Amino acid sequence: MKLRVFTVSIIAFVFINLSSSGQSAITAPAWGNWTSWGDQRDGTFRNPVLPGDYSDIDCIRVGDDYYAVSSTFQYSPGFVILHSKDLVNWSILGHVVNDISVISPEMNWDRMNRYGRGVWAGAIRYHQNRFWVYFGDPDEGYFMSSSVKPEGPWEPVHKVWAEKGWDDCSPFWDDDGQGYLIGTNFSDGYKIHLFKMSADGKSLLKESDKVIHQSKGSEANKLYKINGYYYHLFSEVRAGGRALMMERARKITGPYETPQQLSEVQLHFHEPNQGGLIQTTKGDWYFLTHHGTGDDWSGRVVSLLPVHWIAGWPIIGSPDTAGIGEMVWSAKKPVKSNRIISPQTNDEFEAQVLQPQWEWNYQPRQDKWSLTERKGWLRLYAFRPLADNILNAGNTLTQRTYRTTHNEASVKIDISRMTSGQKAGLSHFGAPNYSAIGVQCEGSVKNLIFMNKEVVTIGPEITVDNIWLKSVWGLDGKSHYSYSPDGVTFTPFGDSYQLRWGAYRGDRLALFTYNTKDDTGSVDVDYFHYAYTK
């Protein structure tokens, strides 16, 4: 590879550049064992910048603001949007897809048949004073939407490519205004195709189809035009795992130069390999990336890596002696700022709309929940599930968990309106596994329950109208449940539960209720509090 034959002068430049960028050499933690993350309040940050499941991240800058998008699979609303002023402190801005059943009816509450499918990777771009997003569903094809404002309202989702077996698309508009879409046909040997788009960006011109690359597992596509070159960024499977690759050309259709390796295979750091290149207003470059190896209970967490341009190629992270990037765990913040922001979690349910941290498992049944029937409370109506478990129960409301040194989630629920056959409570959720602490009602008797999938442990009878439920966990992801009849004194109940990865997702917190006997009963949630450490 060309990147492996740099001269001594180039290597010297690399180390000078590292020093000037403020990149810090700290001992790499064992994976997942970070005791601090994000903004360090001293002008530096530590990776990950988001220790939660924001998979398939992509990022752009518009003015002084940074916007990122992340895949959401079967959760609704879909395709989450994040906002930052410094690439380190992020908040949840909103979502693009309000009704994911328009992508496929299989993602509606009455079917729930798309675990691990749904809204896959995509990209966000800014063109002609509008924000544009494109993403794929592996069964349904490619979709797009656009909006004047990143928080919406977004136009109804439009299908641009009705083909099965495609993923990881990204749009690009050239200087003359012509739009293109690049994407991988993984069902055909991971061939990467480039299409011209119609002027409105809503269809692909099939006669323009051109395969510009194919290699083992090649996907995670992005297109950029920098200093007269068209750069195609992608990842591929190499010896030992995934690595970031790039090819470039003077014409967008090629021919492209031999791909260069931008980052080493780093399986021990869960393969930082998919994301977006961003240039700050000062001209510095960074790469916002997820850690793509699965089977991690916290999901695919996000890191920010400095980028060093060497001989015309953006090396991701700290260049090694071969000129290929390696993971960076600490560096100066790209933008000076004093405000510390973390993704939202708490909700008092005082607004008339759900806060943006919440996502339903599948498209909910809209007549079975309310934020207005009891002011300051979330009302969840129970109805019969497709099967007697949380995975098949509609209107389960979720948000991400985070991997920090101490996490505590608690909820206050009014159970006075429960009816026979109903269950309700707080869950750690991730198909095909889940656990929960809650209450079940049989006849007129209510009992505390602990659920580990279909295994239900019956606890003491609950005679009060309100119950407080709590889960506590740390970096090891071992949840410990407890309950309280007064919100003050909590009593442990149930076994510890190891949070798990499943269906391409990390663990989630969830509020649920369902009734196996009839469409009756409800619970009211006064508040949900989730605190995690920085």
Side-chain angles (χ1 to χ4, degrees):
M1 299 292 289
K2 294 180 180 178
L3 287 180
R4 297 185 181 275
V5 292
F6 289 121
T7 65
V8 174
S9 62
I10 292 292
I11 295 298
F13 166 79
V14 171
F15 287 111
I16 292 170
N17 197 29
L18 288 178
S19 176
S20 64
S21 71
Q23 190 168 300
S24 302
I26 67 169
T27 302
W31 178 257
N33 198 32
W34 39 78
T35 55
S36 64
W37 57 276
D39 199 324
Q40 298 299 294
R41 298 173 174 84
D42 61 359
T44 69
F45 70 91
R46 289 193 178 185
N47 281 318
V49 293
L50 286 172
D53 193 3
Y54 291 95
S55 55
D56 306 311
I57 200 86
D58 183 47
C59 183
I60 59 170
R61 178 178 60 83
V62 179
D64 294 328
D65 294 274
Y66 298 91
Y67 301 98
V69 291
S70 170
S71 56
T72 48
F73 293 77
Q74 85 282 354
Y75 292 100
S76 182
F79 212 44
V80 66
I81 302 173
L82 304 169
H83 172 253
S84 177
K85 297 293 287 187
D86 59 14
L87 286 170
V88 173
N89 292 276
W90 292 91
S91 62
I92 305 170
L93 191 62
H95 296 78
V96 173
V97 190
N98 289 326
D99 184 352
I100 63 170
S101 69
V102 302
I103 298 173
S104 170
E106 298 298 316
M107 290 192 284
N108 203 37
W109 62 269
D110 56 355
R111 297 194 187 182
M112 302 178 71
N113 190 31
R114 281 295 184 270
Y115 280 111
R117 317 298 277 180
V119 179
W120 278 19
I124 182 170
R125 294 294 181 265
Y126 190 70
H127 170 65
Q128 293 184 336
N129 299 316
R130 294 184 70 86
F131 292 87
W132 302 74
V133 296
Y134 289 74
F135 62 87
D137 176 296
D139 300 301
E140 305 296 334
Y142 290 143
F143 296 82
M144 63 79 63
S145 182
S146 68
S147 173
V148 174
K149 298 179 180 180
E151 65 271 23
W154 289 84
E155 288 190 345
V157 172
H158 180 81
K159 184 180 289 189
V160 300
W161 185 244
E163 298 286 344
K164 186 176 182 178
W166 295 69
D167 71 358
D168 292 13
C169 62
S170 180
F172 171 83
W173 282 271
D174 211 341
D175 298 334
D176 60 2
Q178 176 62 57
Y180 296 83
L181 191 76
I182 191 171
T184 293
N185 186 353
F186 65 82
S187 65
D188 185 25
Y190 287 87
K191 292 177 182 174
I192 297 176
H193 293 246
L194 179 69
F195 297 90
K196 285 185 176 181
M197 293 195 294
S198 59
D200 61 4
K202 292 185 176 181
S203 60
L204 306 185
L205 307 182
K206 295 185 179 181
E207 66 275 11
S208 70
D209 182 12
K210 181 178 178 63
V211 175
I212 64 169
H213 184 75
Q214 181 185 18
S215 57
K216 185 177 180 181
S218 52
E219 51 187 4
N221 302 289
K222 301 294 186 308
L223 272 176
Y224 306 94
K225 190 175 186 180
I226 305 169
N227 295 331
Y229 276 103
Y230 297 90
Y231 284 92
H232 170 214
L233 178 69
F234 61 98
S235 76
E236 70 179 25
V237 178
R238 301 175 72 81
R242 279 197 171 272
L244 276 162
M245 306 292 294
M246 180 173 272
E247 58 181 358
R248 70 181 183 185
R250 287 294 186 181
K251 292 177 59 178
I252 192 168
T253 54
Y256 281 83
E257 298 180 27
T258 301
Q260 306 296 302
Q261 185 174 346
L262 305 184
S263 69
E264 297 285 6
V265 173
Q266 299 172 88
L267 191 60
H268 53 300
F269 294 144
H270 282 219
E271 300 174 318
N273 71 78
Q274 182 160 346
L277 285 168
I278 320 102
Q279 188 179 27
T280 68
T281 56
K282 295 187 300 182
D284 299 324
W285 288 84
Y286 290 85
F287 186 66
L288 191 70
T289 179
H290 79 192
H291 293 260
T293 302
D295 201 25
D296 186 322
W297 69 262
S298 53
R300 288 177 281 182
V301 303
V302 176
S303 286
L304 181 67
L305 302 179
V307 171
H308 306 282
W309 285 86
I310 301 175
W313 299 96
I315 304 305
I316 308 298
S318 174
D320 59 18
T321 56
I324 300 176
E326 294 183 325
M327 180 66 192
V328 171
W329 287 99
S330 179
K332 285 184 179 179
K333 289 175 58 179
V335 181
K336 291 183 178 179
S337 62
N338 296 319
R339 189 180 179 191
I340 307 299
I341 299 174
S342 298
Q344 307 93 302
T345 55
N346 295 344
D347 201 342
E348 306 298 328
F349 300 113
E350 294 176 347
Q352 294 189 4
V353 295
L354 280 173
Q355 297 305 294
Q357 63 265 32
W358 293 109
E359 294 167 358
W360 300 95
N361 183 37
Y362 292 100
Q363 188 63 25
R365 187 174 173 181
Q366 295 293 351
D367 63 338
K368 292 295 186 180
W369 69 279
S370 174
L371 284 166
T372 59
E373 291 183 13
R374 184 179 180 184
K375 185 175 176 56
W377 298 69
L378 166 67
R379 176 160 291 173
L380 296 175
Y381 286 97
F383 56 93
R384 279 168 289 196
L386 303 179
D388 186 4
N389 60 67
I390 297 175
L391 301 180
N392 290 280
N395 287 29
T396 297
L397 188 60
T398 80
Q399 62 172 271
R400 291 163 183 80
T401 57
Y402 294 92
R403 190 175 197 145
T404 74
T405 54
H406 182 76
N407 302 262
E408 185 172 304
S410 60
V411 60
K412 176 187 175 183
I413 305 178
D414 182 342
I415 59 174
S416 62
R417 293 161 56 97
M418 291 183 71
T419 60
S420 185
Q422 187 178 354
K423 294 183 177 73
L426 172 67
S427 173
H428 279 285
F429 175 90
N433 300 289
Y434 64 89
S435 68
I437 186 172
V439 175
Q440 75 172 20
C441 181
E442 291 296 336
S444 60
V445 178
K446 298 167 188 168
N447 287 90
L448 189 72
I449 57 171
F450 168 74
M451 306 166 68
N452 191 337
K453 296 187 74 171
E454 285 79 12
V455 178
V456 178
T457 302
I458 307 297
E461 183 177 352
I462 303 298
T463 57
V464 293
D465 287 343
N466 295 308
I467 189 167
W468 285 257
L469 306 172
K470 182 186 293 186
S471 172
V472 177
W473 68 99
L475 289 170
D476 58 2
K478 290 185 178 180
S479 162
H480 302 273
Y481 288 112
S482 58
Y483 74 100
S484 173
D486 57 13
V488 177
T489 303
F490 282 81
T491 301
F493 183 70
D495 298 329
S496 65
Y497 175 75
Q498 177 61 59
L499 310 187
R500 292 181 174 90
W501 159 275
Y504 295 116
R505 300 270 62 179
D507 174 78
R508 292 216 169 191
L509 289 160
L511 304 175
F512 72 95
T513 189
Y514 63 91
N515 192 321
T516 57
K517 294 181 179 179
D518 203 356
D519 290 1
T520 62
S522 65
V523 294
D524 292 338
V525 183
D526 186 15
Y527 64 77
F528 176 89
H529 292 166
Y530 172 22
Y532 53 92
T533 54
K534 286 286 283 189

